[in-house]
Amino acid sequence: MAGGGVVVQGGAKNYEGGVTSFVLVTCLVAAMGGLLFGYDLGISGGVTSMDQFLKDFFPKVYRKQLNKGHESAYCKFDSQLLTLFTSSLYLAALVASFFASVVTRMYGRKMSMTVGGISFLIGAIINGAAVNIAMLIIGRLMLGVGVGFANQVKHICTHEKPSCILIVVPVYLSEMAPAKVRGALNIGFQMAITIGILIANLVNYGTAKISGGWGWRVSLALAAVPAILMTVGSFFLPDTPNSILERGHVDEAKKMLQKIRGTPNVDEEFQDLYDASEAAKQVHHPWTNILRGRYRPQLTMCTLIPFFQQFTGINVIMFYAPVLFKTIGFGAEASLMSAVITGVVNVVATLVSVFSVDKFGRRILFLEGGVQMFICQCLVGIMLALKFGLRGEGTLTKFDADFVLFLICAYVAAFAWSWGPLGWLVPSEVCALEIRSAGQAINVSTNMIFTFVVGQVFLSMLCHFKFGLFFFFAGFVAVMTVFVFYMVPETRNVPIEEMNRMWKAHWFWGKYIPDEAVIGSSNEIQPNKTA
């Protein structure tokens, strides 16, 4: 689930008001959510490579590490329980997100943030104090609940002009921030995720050196620090004007908007919020709408792009980097340091995507990233085939190890400036109001489901596919790159009201778009027409 994105269509209005103390506190709390998400994503791989952790909870896996002469290097970590410890978080996050939407609608954004923070805190405590596998899994499930509640998708749309901002950040942040700084705050949140991953790798590197073998407890329990800050902070934050408005308290919502903007002159912004709220209420059948033929391109993008994003294989690096490095012959300390290096590359490359996506466009980043990932995965597969063969017996020289690390870093960089952010951005850009909620539900659900699937089966696939696993993912990268080349048009600077014109002009998707969908507003809801 690495990466995220922001898209601004049509040009945002400049309302009165600035960045107040409320917004600054919101940024801090939101950053805690991003750090927690990234930290929980990155911490498990390092912990599961620590000998004492394996000895305490997965003794069979630990014995495989000691049995060097009789066990294939590819199968050292093959354990469904071990992978469940990592992947269970994402299954819990998927389920929790559905409950979170109900809680948010009924009780407001603030309540969702509080529940998310408390869930993170409980999960960190249970994991840090774990004495059996059941406690480990329950702790990860609670962390998943925290992810589902604290990190939701929010659309901010104006009624007067069909422009839209989709931000993969906590709902609370996107609603509290002034429109002119939402993009910057979103970038900060995405950076917080990658920084959280990097911090997790650094913590694992440090705690692995603690004598007595209890460093893994520190790694898992340290997630409680930002969780406490997030939970305590949420108690002191006000609810958002959007949330108050959705519950029918118009006057109270306007007063809150005046308070957080620091000015009484909020009539224009408040009217847009009110109109957007009323427009959203008119969308009655988004799931019926998206199944109609005229929305086939959008349905395809919201399904295949997140599917392909996970089958780049990126999350096996984010989840299992130390385990993977240890599998192919790195020492324990070298494995953790290599994970730190890939974490730094991930942060830097994410910054590259921020400054290049609107300058060069989506397609060129998709295609360049795909080609680079394909080459890196094939070369890693060839290296492992030459050095370990089918039996998984062999060693890497220092040059070989450095070259493999370079290839993996190049692969991570390619993902971070292409499929990472674009896997979220492009599906959000193509969905009109009448299908937006359904489209993004499909996008997020598909992403979470296959994050869980890939995370759960990776170590078993490594055992059975051996070096061929890298060719397996390279094959998917080739397919998705061809898919982008032929099936994904350039969406940069295309207003949402012009999306149907873009689809109509496409060599394949044009046959699904009726002529009347191109004439006038593409956001007009026409529930009685069929494509």
Side-chain angles (χ1 to χ4, degrees):
M1 165 123 177
V6 59
V7 56
V8 180
Q9 299 283 7
K13 294 182 179 179
N14 290 318
Y15 302 112
E16 288 195 41
V19 179
T20 65
S21 59
F22 281 117
V23 175
L24 292 176
V25 174
T26 298
C27 293
L28 177 62
V29 174
M32 292 303 103
L35 284 171
L36 278 166
F37 188 17
Y39 188 88
D40 291 331
L41 196 157
I43 202 69
S44 60
V47 167
T48 52
S49 71
M50 296 181 186
D51 288 343
Q52 189 62 47
F53 178 81
L54 294 175
K55 187 176 180 180
D56 290 344
F57 297 100
F58 304 96
K60 290 183 179 179
V61 176
Y62 177 69
R63 286 194 292 270
K64 290 181 182 180
Q65 314 304 304
L66 302 179
N67 200 13
K68 295 181 179 179
H70 304 280
E71 188 70 43
S72 169
Y74 298 116
C75 299
K76 287 180 180 179
F77 291 91
D78 183 19
S79 168
Q80 288 299 302
L81 274 178
L82 184 63
T83 51
L84 185 63
F85 166 68
T86 295
S87 61
S88 57
L89 183 150
Y90 301 93
L91 193 61
L94 173 62
V95 176
S97 65
F98 294 109
F99 290 96
S101 64
V102 176
V103 171
T104 299
R105 187 168 59 251
M106 294 178 62
Y107 302 105
R109 322 303 188 211
K110 179 179 175 180
M111 179 61 72
S112 287
M113 289 183 62
T114 303
V115 173
I118 293 173
S119 298
F120 275 128
L121 181 57
I122 293 173
I125 292 173
I126 293 175
N127 276 166
V131 295
N132 54 49
I133 293 177
M135 288 184 69
L136 286 177
I137 301 300
I138 292 172
R140 290 291 286 183
L141 290 174
M142 290 304 299
L143 293 174
V145 172
V147 170
F149 272 87
N151 303 293
Q152 298 181 50
V153 175
K154 175 64 185 175
H155 309 271
I156 305 98
C157 302
T158 63
H159 180 67
E160 178 180 303
K161 183 171 183 172
S163 60
C164 181
I165 303 171
L166 176 129
I167 308 180
V168 188
V169 296
V171 172
Y172 188 92
L173 171 59
S174 65
E175 293 182 352
M176 291 292 279
K180 57 189 176 184
V181 298
R182 280 195 189 113
L185 294 183
N186 174 67
I187 293 169
F189 182 79
Q190 300 307 324
M191 286 302 300
I193 294 177
T194 58
I195 291 171
I197 296 172
L198 175 59
I199 290 174
N201 292 330
L202 288 168
V203 167
N204 281 331
Y205 182 75
T207 58
K209 298 181 179 181
I210 296 177
S211 60
W214 50 273
W216 64 268
R217 292 191 183 275
V218 178
S219 292
L220 295 177
L222 276 179
V225 176
I228 290 173
L229 294 175
M230 180 178 175
T231 304
V232 173
S234 69
F235 283 113
F236 294 96
L237 296 178
D239 213 341
T240 69
N242 307 62
S243 178
I244 298 171
L245 191 60
E246 286 177 8
R247 300 200 299 275
H249 307 296
V250 179
D251 293 337
E252 183 182 346
K254 187 172 184 179
K255 290 179 181 178
M256 181 57 67
L257 184 62
Q258 291 172 332
K259 187 175 182 180
I260 64 176
R261 294 293 180 256
T263 175
N265 302 319
V266 297
D267 290 345
E268 184 181 12
E269 182 178 4
F270 184 74
Q271 186 61 49
D272 281 347
L273 290 179
Y274 181 84
D275 290 343
S277 178
E278 292 300 307
K281 293 177 182 177
Q282 303 304 313
V283 180
H284 299 298
H285 306 291
W287 290 97
T288 301
N289 289 336
I290 202 170
L291 294 176
R292 293 161 60 191
R294 67 190 299 169
Y295 298 116
R296 192 63 48 78
Q298 292 91 332
L299 178 61
T300 302
M301 298 301 142
C302 289
T303 304
L304 285 185
I305 287 180
F307 169 81
F308 282 143
Q309 186 191 53
Q310 293 311 306
F311 277 85
T312 59
I314 185 62
N315 277 332
V316 304
I317 303 297
M318 295 297 102
F319 295 167
Y320 300 117
V323 170
L324 180 61
F325 287 125
K326 202 171 181 182
T327 295
I328 60 179
F330 286 45
E333 185 172 333
S335 298
L336 293 170
M337 177 50 68
S338 298
V340 171
I341 294 172
T342 59
V344 172
V345 170
N346 189 31
V347 171
V348 174
T350 299
L351 278 175
V352 173
S353 73
V354 168
F355 296 107
S356 61
V357 67
D358 285 322
K359 183 176 181 180
F360 299 111
R362 287 64 164 138
R363 279 174 54 84
I364 187 65
L365 292 179
F366 263 137
L367 296 173
E368 189 283 331
V371 171
Q372 185 170 322
M373 286 190 292
F374 177 81
I375 293 173
C376 291
Q377 287 174 319
C378 286
L379 289 177
V380 171
I382 292 171
M383 283 287 295
L384 296 186
L386 293 175
K387 297 297 180 179
F388 293 94
L390 291 172
R391 300 184 63 181
E393 298 175 358
T395 57
L396 293 175
T397 65
K398 185 179 185 304
F399 173 81
D400 295 335
D402 290 342
F403 185 54
V404 169
L405 177 59
F406 167 78
L407 291 175
I408 291 178
C409 286
Y411 162 79
V412 169
F415 177 87
W417 63 53
S418 63
W419 279 89
L422 298 180
W424 292 102
L425 190 153
V426 172
S428 75
E429 290 182 307
V430 301
C431 289
L433 178 63
E434 61 267 29
I435 61 169
R436 188 167 296 129
S437 61
Q440 290 312 304
I442 293 171
N443 184 24
V444 173
S445 298
T446 302
N447 194 294
M448 286 285 188
I449 289 170
F450 286 101
T451 299
F452 167 76
V453 169
V454 173
Q456 183 62 36
V457 304
F458 167 68
L459 294 179
S460 290
M461 290 179 69
L462 180 62
C463 179
H464 293 89
F465 283 35
K466 302 175 172 51
F467 60 82
L469 181 59
F470 292 92
F471 295 112
F472 171 83
F473 284 121
F476 269 102
V477 171
V479 170
M480 64 185 72
T481 303
V482 172
F483 171 80
V484 169
F485 185 82
Y486 287 106
M487 307 300 287
V488 180
E490 179 57 66
T491 58
R492 179 174 65 111
N493 295 332
V494 180
I496 198 168
E497 62 269 27
E498 295 294 328
M499 282 292 173
N500 276 345
R501 190 179 303 278
M502 177 195 72
W503 293 120
K504 186 66 175 177
H506 191 268
W507 71 273
F508 180 80
W509 299 120
K511 63 186 177 183
Y512 292 102
I513 310 300
D515 292 337
E516 64 269 21
V518 180
I519 300 172
S521 173
S522 63
N523 279 338
E524 182 180 354
I525 302 172
Q526 299 171 315
N528 295 324
K529 291 188 177 183
T530 58

